[in-house]
């Protein structure tokens, strides 16, 4: 393809214009990241007086630590469950809006609201509702015969953080699905109806496959969200407990580094998280961006 | 195959907007009926009501003698070809053709033989494993028709299927649709706003205007004896010239009223105007404003009493723009309409 390119004579100006952004990237990303990498190879004494270079010792210790392996597992469960629940809920709500003729806009606006709630506030909200002593939902669940207590039962705790995290993310997913559904021509659904496909069959054979680029994109975004943006929710609800069952990687970095003051281990965990982020970004660029557009 | 019968069919949207009203129409088995009319006349709505994509608020629609008002589109056993083709983009051409058969639980060997047959008829066999986006407009159109014919439905419904094609391809596909329909003898309803397409395809034409039927008849009937001013103006290209009787001189008036008194407007087809002098004819003293040569014939736009009249003549009559020309119209060939727009005589 031929595209017209404008050539500016000034050779220095472009770099000057790039400079602020570059400075921000270097100061707030590259430098701290370098520091993290460096300290992930070091061990400090408790008083911060002596620092020894220990090569990969911090890393090997991590993988021998059952708490870290457990945290990996909890993160996997949490992020996949959050992605599935929030994508599923958002899809159901978007399908409902797609069928609405009037008031669809009001409904859309209302569904988008939770996105504006800060993670910590969302966490507190759900913590209150499910609080074993004062929570309304905990009360109702107990009435139904189940002894809900997320401070004691690890499954309850996991369900609580998954609910709180997905609730916030539903809004985002919902908007993408609404847009995705609107992009599917009505005549395709009509053609399928005439071709003898009932509503469920139309959904699974026509609508869902046509939404698959959106769904895949959201899957990656939601996993990233659950892994990295849910610190506030966990800190406000379970703080990683009970018995480390909801101590996901991001929370563990904070806990080991800032509470436990084990900076070397915390830095090594950060480095591993960085690798996960890079991997997910690669997946997103290679598969999502190149997804077939119908 | 089946006949389709519409009795007093109407559609009212919420807010009392009447899109279609009082439509009575009987479509015979194997007949190709074209619904034609300007945008917003209700022709597409009517077709979608037959398909079951729009609810019917008044009257009944029956297909093959069975009232289908309450039936889902799938239960009506009809096939529809959409304006944008509506091919499933994530399926191959073969899967597109198979989809409707699979949904109805057709056994595999029969699906294969029907798809092969449709592919052969429409010459799309080489593209069966391609995706719709890899096909040209004309090929997509064929696949859309293939999807309709594999089902062997009671009726085909066409919703402006050729309007996304270029002029040349449109002419070619028009002939193919006509040939195919003759061969399969499947009852068909075809919606278009293109009157040339309508005239050439239809066994019978239904001219619609503002939600109701203006006239039903064969293309020649509609051309030769339009029953209303609207039909007269809609069918034929260039369109019929309308002249208010009040503007005519007394000589001309005598000729007009000899046929039937009470005419308010007369209509003269462009090909009904000649330069051959005739004392019995209506006589118009005109000035040539514009000449459009259209190959074998020419359209002469003339000014008569401050209005434009168009005459259609063979070859290239050697008029110059601004030249005074007297045109004659045989009273036998003119159309007379009363004040309410109905035909007289």
């Amino acid at each position: 393809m031929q595209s017209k390119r404008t050539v500016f004579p000034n050779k220095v100006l472009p770099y000057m214009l790039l400079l602020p952004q570059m400075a921000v990237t270097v100061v707030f990303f590259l430098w701290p990241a370098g520091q993290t990498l460096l300290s992930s190879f070091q061990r400090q004494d408790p008083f911060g007086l002596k620092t020894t270079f220990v090569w990969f010792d911090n890393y090997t210790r991590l993988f021998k630590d059952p708490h870290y392996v457990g945290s990996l597992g909890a993160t996997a469960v949490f992020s996949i469950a959050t992605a599935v629940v929030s994508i599923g809920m958002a899809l159901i709500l978007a399908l409902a809006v797609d069928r609405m003729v009037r008031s669809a806009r009001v409904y859309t606006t209302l569904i988008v609201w939770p996105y504006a709630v800060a993670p910590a506030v969302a966490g507190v909200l759900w913590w209150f509702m499910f609080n074993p002593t004062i929570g309304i939902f905990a009360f109702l669940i107990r009435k139904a015969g189940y002894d809900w207590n997320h401070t004691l039962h690890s499954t309850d705790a996991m369900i609580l953080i998954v609910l709180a995290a997905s609730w916030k993310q539903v809004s985002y997913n919902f908007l993408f699905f609404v847009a995705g559904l609107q992009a599917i021509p009505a005549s395709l659904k009509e053609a399928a109806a005439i071709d003898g496909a009932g509503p469920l069959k139309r959904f699974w054979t026509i609508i869902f496959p046509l939404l698959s680029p959106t769904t895949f994109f959201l899957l990656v975004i939601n996993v990233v969200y659950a892994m990295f943006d849910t610190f506030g929710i966990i800190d406000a609800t379970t703080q990683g407990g009970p018995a480390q069952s909801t101590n996901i990687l991001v929370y563990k970095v904070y806990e080991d580094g800032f509470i436990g003051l084990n900076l070397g281990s915390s830095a090594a965990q950060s480095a591993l998280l960085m690798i996960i982020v890079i991997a997910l970004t690669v997946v997103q660029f290679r598969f999502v961006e190149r997804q077939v557009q119908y | 195959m089946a006949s389709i019968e519409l009795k007093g069919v109407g559609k009212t949207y919420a807010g009392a907007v009447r899109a279609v009203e009082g439509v009575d129409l009987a479509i015979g088995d194997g007949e190709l009926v074209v619904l034609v009319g300007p945008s917003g006349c209700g022709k597409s709505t009517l077709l979608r009501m037959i398909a079951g994509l729009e609810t019917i608020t008044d009257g009944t629609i029956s297909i093959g003698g069975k009232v289908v008002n309450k039936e889902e589109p799938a239960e009506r056993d009809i096939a529809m070809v959409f304006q944008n083709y509506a091919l499933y983009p994530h399926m191959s051409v073969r899967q597109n053709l198979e989809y409707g058969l699979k949904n109805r639980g057709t056994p595999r060997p029969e699906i294969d033989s029907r798809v092969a047959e449709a592919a052969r008829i429409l010459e799309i066999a080489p593209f069966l494993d391609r995706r719709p986006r890899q096909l040209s407009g004309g090929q997509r159109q064929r696949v859309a028709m293939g999807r309709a014919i594999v089902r062997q439905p009671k009726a085909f419904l066409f919703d402006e299927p050729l309007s996304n094609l270029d002029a040349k391809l449109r002419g070619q596909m028009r002939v193919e649709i006509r040939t195919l329909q003759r061969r399969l003898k499947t009852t068909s309803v075809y919606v278009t706003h293109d009157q040339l397409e309508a005239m050439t395809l239809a066994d019978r034409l239904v001219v619609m205007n503002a939600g109701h039927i203006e006239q039903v008849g064969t293309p020649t009937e509609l051309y030769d004896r339009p029953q209303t001013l609207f039909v007269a103006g809609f069918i034929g290209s260039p369109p019929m010239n309308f002249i208010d009787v009040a503007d005519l001189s007394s000589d001309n008036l005598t000729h007009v009223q000899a046929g039937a008194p009470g005419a308010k407007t007369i209509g003269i087809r462009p090909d009904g105007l000649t330069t051959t002098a005739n004392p019995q004819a209506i006589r118009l003293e005109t000035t040539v404003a514009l000449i459009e040569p259209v190959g074998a014939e020419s359209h002469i736009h003339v000014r008569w009493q401050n209005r434009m009249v168009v005459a259609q003549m063979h070859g290239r009559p050697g008029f110059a723009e601004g030249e005074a020309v007297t045109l004659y119209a045989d009273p036998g060939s003119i159309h007379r309409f009363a004040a309410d727009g109905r035909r007289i005589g």
Side-chain angles (χ1 to χ4, degrees), chain A residues 102 184-199 201-210 212 292-294, chain B residues 48 51 53 72-75 78-80 82 84-91 96 99-104 131 133 147 151 157:
Chain A
R102 277 173 288 177
I184 299 176
S187 61
L188 279 185
K189 298 171 210 165
E190 291 171 354
I194 289 174
D195 263 345
K201 183 137 202 182
R202 282 205 292 279
F203 175 75
W204 287 114
T205 56
I206 308 291
I207 296 169
F208 192 68
L210 291 178
S212 66
V292 189
Q293 295 300 318
Y294 297 117
Chain B
R48 292 168 60 82
L53 300 173
E72 290 294 316
E75 298 166 325
I78 41 92
M80 188 152 167
F82 291 84
N84 63 359
Y85 319 127
L87 299 177
Y88 312 123
H90 57 298
M91 298 184 192
N96 265 280
Y99 187 71
L101 294 173
K102 273 193 192 158
N103 287 340
R104 285 177 165 75
R131 292 282 170 90
R133 79 194 135 84
R147 199 169 60 181
R151 290 247 322 276
L157 307 177

Side-chain angles (χ1 to χ4, degrees), chain A residues 154-226:
Chain A
S154 35
T155 319
D156 294 357
M158 182 58 85
I159 290 172
L160 179 65
I161 59 170
V162 166
L163 279 177
S166 340
W167 176 72
K168 252 190 74 55
Q169 196 64 5
V170 160
S171 316
Y172 181 87
N173 298 345
F174 168 78
L175 281 185
F176 274 83
F177 277 130
V178 166
L181 284 172
Q182 278 170 0
I184 299 176
S187 61
L188 279 185
K189 298 171 210 165
E190 291 171 354
I194 289 174
D195 263 345
L200 260 184
K201 183 137 202 182
R202 282 205 292 279
F203 175 75
W204 287 114
T205 56
I206 308 291
I207 296 169
F208 192 68
L210 291 178
L211 279 180
S212 66
T214 311
T215 312
F216 189 63
F217 165 79
L218 288 177
L219 194 65
V220 175
I221 293 289
N222 280 271
V223 167
V224 171
Y225 158 80

Side-chain angles (χ1 to χ4, degrees), chain A residues 225-285:
Chain A
Y225 158 80
M227 288 180 83
F228 302 103
D229 288 346
T230 47
F231 175 85
I233 288 174
I234 292 173
D235 198 44
T237 50
T238 62
Q239 284 158 345
Q244 310 255 349
S245 59
T246 58
N247 199 0
I248 66 164
L249 294 172
V250 168
Y251 198 75
K252 195 168 161 57
V253 168
Y254 159 79
E255 213 179 42
D256 289 357
F258 293 90
I259 311 282
L261 291 176
N262 187 350
L263 294 184
S265 175
S266 176
Q269 292 177 33
S270 295
L272 290 172
L273 272 177
M274 236 185 287
I275 292 170
I276 295 174
V277 177
I278 292 168
L280 283 171
T281 313
V282 168
V283 167
Q284 182 171 347
F285 277 113

Side-chain angles (χ1 to χ4, degrees), chain A residues 28-263:
Chain A
F28 292 102
F29 178 67
L30 291 180
W31 186 19
Q35 286 284 331
T36 306
L37 279 179
L38 180 66
S39 45
S40 76
F41 294 119
Q42 293 173 335
R43 188 168 299 153
Q44 263 186 343
D45 71 74
F47 308 101
L49 299 171
K50 209 170 82 195
T51 306
T52 14
F53 199 80
V54 294
W55 283 110
F56 287 97
D57 198 33
N58 285 326
Y59 293 91
T60 44
R61 276 187 186 213
L62 274 182
F63 287 102
K64 281 187 200 141
D65 179 3
H67 286 317
Y68 189 74
V69 177
S71 173
L72 269 176
T75 310
V77 170
F78 172 66
S79 54
I80 291 170
T82 303
V84 169
V85 169
S86 62
I87 288 178
M89 281 305 297
L91 185 55
I92 291 169
L93 292 171
L95 286 168
V97 162
D98 202 43
R99 295 175 68 94
M100 286 173 92
V101 186
R102 277 173 288 177
S103 59
R105 289 179 65 113
V106 178
Y107 192 61
T108 305
T109 312
L110 290 177
I111 291 177
V112 172
W113 273 0
Y115 198 57
V117 176
V121 177
V124 170
L125 199 69
W126 286 84
W127 179 83
F128 265 121
M129 288 194 292
F130 283 91
N131 187 296
T133 37
I134 55 168
I136 178 80
F137 281 107
F139 174 75
L140 290 175
I141 293 168
R142 210 166 289 165
K143 273 228 156 161
Y146 178 77
D147 182 26
W148 172 274
N149 193 337
H150 67 255
T151 58
L152 292 176
H153 308 309
S154 35
T155 319
D156 294 357
M158 182 58 85
I159 290 172
L160 179 65
I161 59 170
V162 166
L163 279 177
S166 340
W167 176 72
K168 252 190 74 55
Q169 196 64 5
V170 160
S171 316
Y172 181 87
N173 298 345
F174 168 78
L175 281 185
F176 274 83
F177 277 130
V178 166
L181 284 172
Q182 278 170 0
I184 299 176
S187 61
L188 279 185
K189 298 171 210 165
E190 291 171 354
I194 289 174
D195 263 345
L200 260 184
K201 183 137 202 182
R202 282 205 292 279
F203 175 75
W204 287 114
T205 56
I206 308 291
I207 296 169
F208 192 68
L210 291 178
L211 279 180
S212 66
T214 311
T215 312
F216 189 63
F217 165 79
L218 288 177
L219 194 65
V220 175
I221 293 289
N222 280 271
V223 167
V224 171
Y225 158 80
M227 288 180 83
F228 302 103
D229 288 346
T230 47
F231 175 85
I233 288 174
I234 292 173
D235 198 44
T237 50
T238 62
Q239 284 158 345
Q244 310 255 349
S245 59
T246 58
N247 199 0
I248 66 164
L249 294 172
V250 168
Y251 198 75
K252 195 168 161 57
V253 168
Y254 159 79
E255 213 179 42
D256 289 357
F258 293 90
I259 311 282
L261 291 176
N262 187 350
L263 294 184

